[in-house]
Amino acid sequence: MSEVRSPQVKRAILGAEVAAGFGPGKVILLGEHGVVYGEPALAAPLRVGVQAVARAAERCSVVCPRDLSPVHRRALEEAFARAALLTGAPKVQVSLKSDLPVSMGLGSSAALSVAVARALIAAAPPRPGRKASELEVALAMEKVFHGTPSGVDHATSACGNPVLFKQGKVKPLVAKRPIDVVVVLLGDRPSTKDTVRGLRERQARWPDRYRRLFREIGHVAREGAEAVTSGELESLGDLMNLNQGLLCALQLSSDRIDAMTRELRAMGALGAKLTGAGGDGGAVIGLFEDAAGAVRTLSKNGVNCFASRLAG
Ligand code: MEV
């Protein structure tokens, strides 16, 4: 910003939008937790997500949403500082807008990370040397939010397609038929960090038996990817039901999650399971041929839910 500009001109320039970025939320159709142990997961982006807008400012900063708890505020500031460092700290103030339910296992922190990475990279002035990619910046932020994430959340958000994800590698998939899900929001759940840690303790104690279950989850995810590309939705639904059983075996489900999966199946879902880290609460997904109709019925019964087309 030139020092010779008048204060009025400077004010106008300082508030101007210079870049923006969107990061969609995600659902894991198959393979959560197994993916932390090197198995593949099948995931897809939602239509809803986080929008980051970068406006010209004196220094690189983020506007923390007012309703954030002190813990989440600190995490956002630390994650943003890492993103700023990787992108050369462009002189912008980033504000955030989200229509994604938070802390429900729908990848809200990954969506935020991708949105911020996109906005900062787009706002960064040209500079010599290697530039950090969108995925690198978003992963650096995700590590602050989740400790040791598998990377499936931010990779799915950045890709914008259904993906088969394994150990940092993303295989985008072309779905032969539309994939429509109902996402039911059950409410508060333990943090992903805590749920992942609890499972790691059990797995460390009895590695062989847990390894068998993770391997089976990996098979289910691979078969699910084939079902997506061949348009076999009944097979995909069956795999979701099997995956729910495996998540129960891993002690990651709960009475209210199980009850909702049964309700969705009774309403005609081809398959239903928890999505994300699980524990208790969070989100449950059902694969439907008529997701909008299912949402109407569920909403009449007071269930908090929405429909999303994941592909097609
Ligand atoms: C979180 O959306 C999915 C988990 O598998 C954790 C991870 O992949 O980092 C539970």
Side-chain angles (χ1 to χ4, degrees), residues 155-208:
T156 307
S157 178
C159 181
N161 273 314
V163 297
L164 189 68
F165 175 94
K166 184 176 173 317
Q167 292 178 327
K169 294 211 174 65
V170 181
K171 183 176 172 198
L173 304 171
V174 178
K176 190 158 180 195
R177 285 173 60 194
I179 300 174
D180 291 312
V181 293
V182 171
V183 182
V184 176
L185 305 172
L186 289 180
D188 288 349
R189 62 174 183 110
S191 75
T192 299
K193 235 184 203 170
D194 288 348
T195 309
V196 168
R197 191 188 305 124
L199 179 58
R200 191 171 287 290
E201 279 164 16
R202 298 194 287 284
Q203 177 272 341
R205 196 154 170 211
W206 300 289
D208 289 346

Side-chain angles (χ1 to χ4, degrees), residues 26 28 31-36 105 107 148-153 192 196 276-277:
K26 66 88 191 56
I28 297 187
E32 47 274 272
H33 289 286
V35 67
V36 175
T148 52
S150 67
V152 64
D153 290 9
T192 299
V196 168

Side-chain angles (χ1 to χ4, degrees), residues 47 177-182 233 286-292 307-312:
R47 299 283 160 123
R177 285 173 60 194
I179 300 174
D180 291 312
V181 293
V182 171
L233 294 188
L287 178 67
F288 279 91
E289 278 174 355
D290 177 14
S308 196
R309 174 155 288 186
L310 303 181

